[in-house]
Amino acid sequence: MIRKARISDVVEMKQIINTYSKEELMLARSLSEIYENIRDYYVCEIAGEIVGCCALHVVWEDLAEILALAVRPDCSRKGVGSKLVSSCLEDAKELGMKEVFALTYVPGFFETMEFNIVDKNSLPRKIWSGCIRCPKFPDCNEIAVLRSIDA
C-alpha cells in the first residue's frame, strides 16, 4: 500500500535510506531532515512494515525533484519503487508541475518510467538549491533524468 508518510514512519524510512547511503549509492538523510520534509514523502507499507519510501520536493514553480527513493533490499525488484515514483508523479501533476527530475545512479530504472537522461547543467536551479549542500559537490557522478508532466 502506497500512502503519505507519517511521523511514526520516520525511523524506518531513515534505516532504509541509510542502508544505501552506507554503500554510497544515495545520500544519507538525518532524522531532522526527514521530519522537516515529511509532507514530501510517500511510503510503501506491507503487512504493517515500511518497505520503501520516496519524496517529491518542489524546487521551483515548474520543477520538482524525486529524491530519497529507497526500497528495502528484500523487497526490491517487486514494483515497489515504480509505485512510489508513480505516486510522486501523480502528486506533481496535481500540483501543476511541468517537469520532474531525479539524480540517480540507476538511470535505467527511471528510463522505464519515461524519464530521459539530461545534462545536470540543464538543471541550474537544482545545483544551487540542493547540490551545494551535498558532501559530494561538485564532484557528483549521479546522472540527471527528467520527465515532462502531462497537464
Side-chain angles (χ1 to χ4, degrees):
M1 171 176 95
I2 306 295
R3 62 170 172 76
K4 289 296 280 182
R6 300 180 191 128
I7 294 296
S8 59
D9 302 326
V10 170
V11 171
E12 285 179 273
M13 292 164 56
K14 180 181 181 292
Q15 289 171 346
I16 295 167
I17 291 167
N18 290 344
T19 296
Y20 295 98
S21 69
K22 290 174 189 170
E23 298 174 24
E24 294 193 7
L25 297 174
M26 66 186 300
L27 289 177
R29 305 282 174 189
S30 66
L31 285 174
S32 64
E33 184 179 2
I34 298 171
Y35 282 127
E36 288 171 9
N37 296 289
I38 192 70
R39 292 177 180 263
D40 290 351
Y41 281 90
Y42 287 87
V43 296
C44 179
E45 181 180 359
I46 298 174
E49 293 184 20
I50 303 304
V51 300
C53 62
C54 187
L56 178 77
H57 184 74
V58 175
V59 176
W60 202 250
E61 70 177 327
D62 58 351
L63 183 66
E65 178 181 14
I66 290 179
L67 50 87
L69 172 60
V71 176
R72 223 170 57 187
D74 63 316
C75 295
S76 67
R77 301 202 177 272
K78 295 181 180 174
V80 172
S82 297
K83 290 176 184 171
L84 286 163
V85 170
S86 292
S87 293
C88 288
L89 292 171
E90 193 59 38
D91 193 8
K93 185 175 181 176
E94 289 176 20
L95 287 168
M97 295 287 103
K98 292 182 179 161
E99 295 180 308
V100 174
F101 75 96
L103 295 175
T104 182
Y105 292 113
V106 191
F109 166 79
F110 285 94
E111 287 177 305
T112 66
M113 300 195 72
E114 300 178 16
F115 283 76
N116 296 303
I117 294 174
V118 297
D119 184 343
K120 274 189 282 195
N121 293 323
S122 70
L123 303 169
R125 293 171 289 203
K126 167 56 184 165
I127 298 303
W128 295 113
S129 69
C131 290
I132 195 116
R133 292 174 281 176
C134 175
K136 292 185 177 186
F137 183 79
D139 298 318
C140 173
N141 57 352
E142 286 184 305
I143 295 165
V145 293
L146 181 72
R147 177 179 165 165
S148 294
I149 300 297
D150 300 324

